[in-house]
Amino acid sequence: MTNNMFFIANWKMFGDLRALNSTKKVIKISKKHKFKKIQIIYCPPYTLINQFVKNTKNSKIKVGAQNCHYLDGDGPYTGKINSNLLKSIGAKYVILGHSENRAEGDTNYIINKKIKSALKKKLKIIFCFGETLSEKRNKKTSSVLRSQLTKCLKGINSNNNIIFAYEPVWSIGTGIIPRIDQLEQKIIYIKKLIKKNLKFKSSIILYGGSVNPKNINELKKITTINGFLVGGSSQNAKNFIDIIKKTIN
Ligand code: PGA
């Protein structure tokens, strides 16, 4: 495992003010010397971002959103949130390209527009990509990953503010993770794509999909992974801390 590890908590559509209180333990732990080199990023629902930013003010935990609109200027779009509004309440990151948003209509083209808009407002991007089960079964994984990476990042000439999160869709929320040797191969392939097709020299690559305290010892064996995007298991502070501790121990 490399030292500078990222642990991103994607709370999805869960979490109220009580849940926020439970993160105090994580904030406390993040200040310990042992955790000096890790970066924790919380992506709660929009409703908690502001409070999260306040609570984590004296720690190095950062806060992000789970999505945003592709327009960076304000406008008459009922129910939508743009990068400008996120920035104004202290969010530093935004998750874009998540399969749950792709399933609701986010195409590679729209994701590309969202990434450009968020970068313009100086938000950092947690860019998710990954194949579905049927794409995997039809041996389309490589071409799908290539297409998502090249289309979503078209016209972007630096990845300084982008974290890549490989999330096989069939692994999200299912309790199933890829075979370690196969995941290792995928990460090598993704790194090559990023270098060759996108011309970015180095990249931060995370794995996401059913990461939990039980399988983390297996997943952490892949030394080329720079951290984890954790959904379900991040909503429980004890599980999230367990994942972090096991990874760096
Ligand atoms: P999961 O979600 O850990 O619950 O599988 C991961 C994600 O969707 O980012």
Side-chain angles (χ1 to χ4, degrees):
M1 268 293 131
T2 53
N3 261 332
N4 295 308
M5 295 292 285
F6 285 80
F7 295 89
I8 302 181
N10 174 12
W11 274 18
K12 311 193 179 199
M13 201 164 69
F14 294 95
D16 53 15
L17 284 171
R18 249 179 322 158
L20 190 125
N21 273 336
S22 75
T23 62
K24 284 188 180 142
K25 279 186 217 138
V26 184
I27 299 172
K28 204 170 145 198
I29 277 187
S30 74
K31 293 179 181 166
K32 290 192 177 173
H33 182 73
K34 202 171 150 198
F35 300 98
K36 210 174 72 191
K37 286 193 171 162
I38 67 160
Q39 177 65 67
I40 297 171
I41 303 162
Y42 265 102
C43 299
Y46 295 127
T47 45
L48 292 182
I49 290 177
N50 200 10
Q51 196 57 46
F52 245 104
V53 169
K54 286 182 186 151
N55 287 11
T56 52
K57 211 166 133 204
N58 297 317
S59 77
K60 58 188 191 73
I61 294 180
K62 299 277 183 275
V63 185
Q66 298 169 19
N67 199 359
C68 70
H69 199 271
Y70 59 80
L71 293 176
D72 56 85
D74 301 346
Y77 297 91
T78 305
K80 303 292 183 199
I81 304 280
N82 65 27
S83 42
N84 200 28
L85 298 174
L86 291 175
K87 189 81 193 175
S88 75
I89 53 161
K92 296 274 187 276
Y93 287 82
V94 59
I95 296 176
L96 292 173
H98 194 284
S99 61
E100 283 153 16
N101 290 315
R102 288 180 192 260
E104 290 198 331
D106 274 11
T107 58
N108 289 331
Y109 176 71
I110 290 175
I111 295 162
N112 178 252
K113 284 177 53 152
K114 289 187 175 191
I115 292 176
K116 285 179 176 161
S117 142
L119 284 173
K120 196 170 147 198
K121 290 292 162 192
K122 308 251 177 298
L123 285 174
K124 294 185 192 227
I125 315 296
I126 299 155
F127 168 58
C128 300
F129 58 99
E131 78 284 3
T132 62
L133 187 58
S134 80
E135 287 162 347
K136 175 178 149 71
R137 283 189 176 142
N138 291 314
K139 308 217 174 318
K140 290 205 174 122
T141 301
S142 299
S143 65
V144 167
L145 298 184
R146 187 170 59 242
S147 160
Q148 290 181 346
L149 281 161
T150 50
K151 289 181 180 157
C152 294
L153 297 171
K154 194 174 168 199
I156 291 160
N157 42 31
S158 158
N159 70 341
N160 284 351
N161 292 317
I162 300 174
I163 294 174
F164 295 83
Y166 171 54
E167 298 206 301
V169 183
W170 48 272
S171 184
I172 296 175
T174 58
I176 302 166
I177 57 165
R179 259 179 42 196
I180 295 303
D181 57 329
Q182 288 177 353
L183 180 54
E184 203 156 20
Q185 287 309 313
K186 288 275 151 44
I187 301 293
I188 292 172
Y189 175 69
I190 292 162
K191 285 205 180 234
K192 267 194 201 149
L193 277 180
I194 293 173
K195 258 201 181 134
K196 235 181 102 207
N197 295 42
L198 303 175
K199 316 274 183 238
F200 298 149
K201 279 199 188 97
S202 64
S203 45
I204 297 169
I205 303 189
L206 316 186
Y207 167 77
S210 292
V211 177
N212 65 38
K214 284 195 187 126
N215 59 28
I216 192 65
N217 283 333
E218 273 299 293
L219 288 167
K220 77 173 201 181
K221 287 181 187 160
I222 305 175
T223 52
T224 44
I225 287 180
N226 308 107
F228 300 98
L229 176 44
V230 189
S233 292
S234 71
Q235 291 147 24
N236 174 302
K238 188 185 166 301
N239 286 342
F240 195 43
I241 291 171
D242 233 24
I243 290 170
I244 296 172
K245 281 189 174 167
K246 285 183 176 168
T247 306
I248 62 166
N249 277 339

